[in-house]
Structures are given as C-alpha cells and as structure tokens.
Amino acid sequence: MKLHKASAAAAAALVLSLTATACGGESNEGGSGSGGGDKITIGIKFDQPGLGLKKPDGTYAGFDVDVATYVAKELGYDAKNIVWKEAPSAERENLISNGDVKFVAASYTINDERKKKVDFAGPYFLAHQDLLVRADDSSITKAADLNSKKLCSVTGSTSAQNVKDKLAPKADLQEFGGYSECLTGLENKAVDALTTDDSILAGYASQQEHQGKFKLLSLKLSDEPYGIGLKKGDTELQKKINDALTKMESDGSWEKAVTANFGPANYKNEPAPKIDATS
C-alpha cells in the first residue's frame, strides 16, 4: 500500500513537472531565445513570391523569410522554432503593438508616419517603385509612355495612383484584387503594364511559370527602404536585430539571399543599405 502511494505521489510529481515545463515553454515565446524549445513568432507576407510566400506544402520562402530566419538565429532561435504569422499590410502595426509577433519582416517600408507607431531595425533592403511590361514590348520605356495605356495594380495601391497623379495622368488605371490577376492581364494583353515595388515585381517575374515573359524597366520611381518592424521603445531588440543585419551583409548571406530569390528576373538590386540606428 505504501508502495502504491509512493508511486502515485511520484506520478503526480511527474505530471506537475511536465506541466510546469510546458507552461515555461509557452511563456518563453519571444523571450531570450536559447535555441532549445523556445518559440518566436515573426510576421511575414504569405502571398508575395520572392519575398514572403506560403507554399502548398506548408513551408515558407522568400527574401524576407531568409532575412527573418537569419535574424532569429542570431537572436538564439533555431529555424524549426519559428512560428510564421501572416502580416497583411494593414495589420502590421496592430500585430506588433498587440504583441502577436516579436517582429515583422514583410516588405515593410520605413516612413515617418509608421515610425509614430512602431520602431524599425534596418533598413535591410532598398526597393523602388517600378513598371513590369511584356518582354517583347518596346513601346514603354518610361512612365510617361503609359499615357493612353492600361496600367494595372491592386485595388487601393498607392503606387498606381502615384503614376497616374504625377507621371502619366492619361493612363487608364485598372485595379484588380491581386497582383496575380494583373500578371494574367499583362500576359493576355488586357493591360500594358503593372506597377508596385520592383522587389515584388521581380518576385513574380522570377516564378518558373513567368520566367522570360516579362521585364522590369528599372525606372526607380520612388525609394522604398524595407525595415524590420518591432514594438516601440524596445531598443535592446532593435540593436540586436541591427547587429544581425550587419553580420548578414558582411558574411555574404544577404547577397546570397538576393540572388536566390530575385535572380531569375534579372533584377538589378541596390547594394545592401546602411543601417540607420535611429529608425
């Protein structure tokens, strides 16, 4: 009987120990990151080839994914312990301020308005607004050539409006639900050009089914410095991420990631930008 009681007590102690360990693992999410069982949640895009894409097999690929994975490793987290969370453009600040993610790497342009709500590490990439046209189309070489042409972008895009308002006021703006629809329209000659960040355009053009069909014009219609968004006031994390980004550039990993994700589009990317510690 005493043996039975002792066994029961030992079993109870084991259950309590396992429960405490499990709770400890959850509470360490986004913590110091020992590289063991701790988890870190990172916000990325799920629908941008070349930058952040959730593939049919449930894995993730893209330049932002590679950057975030490198940074997480430098913070002490194994790749297997990263929890990827979708970060649509309109939700990025909320995900950060609510603590739903540790940081966001999602073609996230640093600007003064956003810096009122979140802090940034980086920038880690300098993109530009550009135009994508059919590979055999020589009629469009500059933004002004879009006058009387059909220009496509996604609904609510500031890029398309920028072209129509400032560069080609007579462009026939066609707004679709997603970039994939614009690409289909471009291939079928329903539209003449697609505009957004050149990195996003290069990502789509690099997809196997699109290779050789389109070309970037490299017009640099705007500057879009991509940063890693994090909770305002977390200067310690900001410094650690900036150190990781600096190391990624110096050891060649940054250039390797650029080539792997954008190379097939013959994308002429800018060199790695200088880190701004005041972001």
Side-chain angles (χ1 to χ4, degrees):
M1 188 68 177
K2 289 181 179 179
L3 180 61
H4 177 74
K5 287 184 177 180
S7 298
L14 178 60
V15 170
L16 287 172
S17 175
L18 290 172
T19 303
T21 301
C23 291
E26 290 174 2
S27 64
N28 284 337
E29 191 284 312
S32 59
S34 64
D38 292 349
K39 301 285 186 181
I40 183 171
T41 302
I42 301 172
I44 58 169
K45 292 292 181 66
F46 279 14
D47 60 352
Q48 285 185 346
L51 286 162
L53 182 69
K54 183 176 182 180
K55 301 198 296 187
D57 63 1
T59 60
Y60 301 85
F63 180 72
D64 284 345
V65 175
D66 290 346
V67 169
T69 301
Y70 188 100
V71 169
K73 183 180 179 182
E74 291 301 304
L75 294 177
Y77 297 92
D78 294 334
K80 65 183 180 182
N81 291 328
I82 297 173
V83 177
W84 300 109
K85 189 173 184 66
E86 187 170 18
S89 296
E91 292 299 319
R92 289 176 297 203
E93 285 88 16
N94 289 335
L95 290 171
I96 293 168
S97 60
N98 292 339
D100 296 325
V101 296
K102 192 68 173 177
F103 61 80
V104 167
S107 55
Y108 202 1
T109 298
I110 301 171
N111 61 39
D112 291 339
E113 189 61 31
R114 288 170 178 163
K115 286 166 71 172
K116 294 176 184 177
K117 301 174 183 177
V118 300
D119 282 340
F120 285 96
Y124 63 90
F125 194 82
L126 180 58
H128 304 283
Q129 185 184 343
D130 198 7
L131 299 176
L132 190 73
V133 299
R134 288 181 292 278
D136 60 356
D137 186 352
S138 58
S139 67
I140 302 173
T141 60
K142 57 185 182 298
D145 292 335
L146 291 170
N147 283 309
S148 302
K149 299 271 191 179
K150 292 182 178 179
L151 172 66
C152 190
S153 196
V154 297
T155 303
S157 166
T158 55
S159 297
Q161 205 59 49
N162 178 50
V163 171
K164 186 165 175 59
D165 290 348
K166 301 176 182 178
L167 304 170
K170 294 182 180 179
D172 181 7
L173 180 58
Q174 307 283 313
E175 293 183 299
F176 292 170
Y179 292 116
S180 295
E181 296 173 59
C182 282
L183 277 170
T184 299
L186 187 57
E187 183 177 2
N188 296 336
K189 300 186 178 182
V191 298
D192 301 300
L194 165 59
T195 187
T196 187
D197 294 359
D198 53 7
S199 57
I200 298 173
L201 295 174
Y204 277 103
S206 294
Q207 288 184 293
Q208 187 171 359
E209 64 269 29
H210 296 143
Q211 289 178 22
K213 296 179 180 179
F214 309 108
K215 63 182 178 183
L216 284 162
L217 297 187
S218 302
L219 298 180
K220 298 183 180 180
L221 301 175
S222 70
D223 291 335
E224 308 292 338
Y226 291 171
I228 291 180
L230 60 146
K231 188 167 286 189
K232 202 156 185 64
D234 195 343
T235 54
E236 181 180 357
L237 179 61
Q238 183 184 48
K239 183 182 184 305
K240 288 179 178 179
I241 295 177
N242 278 335
D243 289 345
L245 294 173
T246 300
K247 182 178 177 182
M248 185 178 186
E249 193 278 328
S250 64
D251 70 11
S253 298
W254 184 91
E255 189 64 41
K256 183 178 179 181
V258 169
T259 301
N261 291 293
F262 303 126
N266 295 317
Y267 176 43
K268 298 177 179 63
N269 63 281
E270 297 279 6
K274 183 178 178 181
I275 301 294
D276 180 6
T278 65
S279 290

